[in-house]
Amino acid sequence: MAGKNFPDWEKLYRDQEVETMPWYKPDLDLNFERNLADLKIVSGLVLDIGSGPGTQALELAKRGFQVIGTDISATAVGKARDLAEKEKIGVEFIHDDILHTRLDKKFDLILDRGCFHVLPLYERDNYVKIVANLLKPGGYFFLKCFSVKETTDGGPHRFTPRGITGYFQNRFEIVAIQDAIFKGTPSHRPRALSCVMRKRS
């Protein structure tokens, strides 16, 4: 896994239409929607890490959340801003690298639908620390990542529930880790883990 090669995200977003990308999903991820309903979360300041085309952030804003979406690709941020303007939805999109973030707010909820599982091994502990620092005490973190049950070649790193627990348990209470799938543009639905965590007070 350590030898995986991932795209140049800026070049990818410059050269390819977002609607053709495997992870593109115009509506809110079903697991995130269920998590919100189960926890009765209906408002708050939300951070969408690796927002890409911004669809998840926009869907949350439509539901009444105050949302900031960030991405390492400036082009992705520009496209997300264009979509927000077109749909007349108030979301703040920021060009930011979560591993060297310039954010100084504290969030009620943080989402990650595809960032953690493309990070190299040596960056994961730093990522956990940064996410925890950006959350208010008792705030929730929704993580969706590839599962070891996904057996196709290529793609992101795969994780087990035990592996996710190992990375996050010192700073988060693990509320739930459930089998899931990633819905996007391909007909194949990769096996995933949908994880709900709560920052320890």
Side-chain angles (χ1 to χ4, degrees), residues 6-197:
F6 292 106
D8 177 327
W9 303 110
E10 175 60 18
K11 184 177 188 303
L12 182 70
Y13 277 99
R14 278 202 315 264
D15 296 349
Q16 190 171 336
E17 293 298 322
V18 295
E19 293 84 1
T20 66
M21 294 177 180
W23 52 85
Y24 178 76
K25 193 174 191 306
D27 50 352
L28 187 61
D29 186 279
L30 182 58
N31 293 108
F32 290 167
E33 192 160 24
R34 287 174 176 165
N35 295 342
L36 292 171
D38 290 346
L39 296 167
K40 297 180 173 56
I41 301 174
V42 295
S43 64
L45 179 60
V46 181
L47 172 62
D48 181 19
I49 299 172
S51 198
T55 54
Q56 301 302 293
L58 292 172
E59 285 299 311
L60 285 168
K62 289 177 185 177
R63 288 160 169 78
F65 292 90
Q66 182 184 354
V67 188
I68 294 175
T70 66
D71 203 277
I72 197 170
S73 164
T75 298
V77 169
K79 291 182 176 183
R81 287 173 179 165
D82 290 345
L83 183 58
E85 184 176 351
K86 178 182 176 182
E87 296 193 8
K88 296 181 171 56
I89 300 172
V91 174
E92 183 179 2
F93 288 105
I94 299 173
H95 181 215
D96 187 67
D97 177 355
I98 190 61
L99 296 173
H100 306 280
T101 186
R102 293 172 287 113
L103 297 172
D104 58 1
K105 297 180 183 294
K106 294 290 185 180
F107 295 87
D108 300 292
L109 172 66
I110 295 179
L111 308 180
D112 177 342
R113 186 180 182 268
C115 180
F116 181 72
H117 66 191
V118 298
L119 297 179
L121 175 64
Y122 64 87
E123 292 284 19
R124 293 174 190 166
D125 288 338
N126 187 36
Y127 172 93
V128 173
K129 178 182 177 181
I130 290 168
V131 169
N133 287 342
L134 288 170
L135 266 176
K136 295 177 183 177
Y140 283 94
F141 177 47
F142 295 172
L143 170 67
K144 196 163 188 181
C145 61
F146 264 44
S147 166
V148 292
K149 293 181 180 179
E150 177 56 38
T151 58
T152 55
D153 293 333
H157 299 286
R158 275 75 158 161
F159 295 90
T160 63
R162 183 177 180 181
I164 291 295
T165 299
Y167 281 114
F168 288 91
Q169 65 183 347
N170 287 341
R171 296 176 185 270
F172 292 87
E173 171 195 353
I174 310 300
V175 177
I177 300 179
Q178 298 177 325
D179 288 329
I181 58 171
F182 266 107
K183 288 187 177 180
T185 54
S187 56
H188 174 66
R189 306 303 196 203
R191 304 289 293 276
L193 294 175
S194 175
C195 313
V196 178
M197 310 176 213

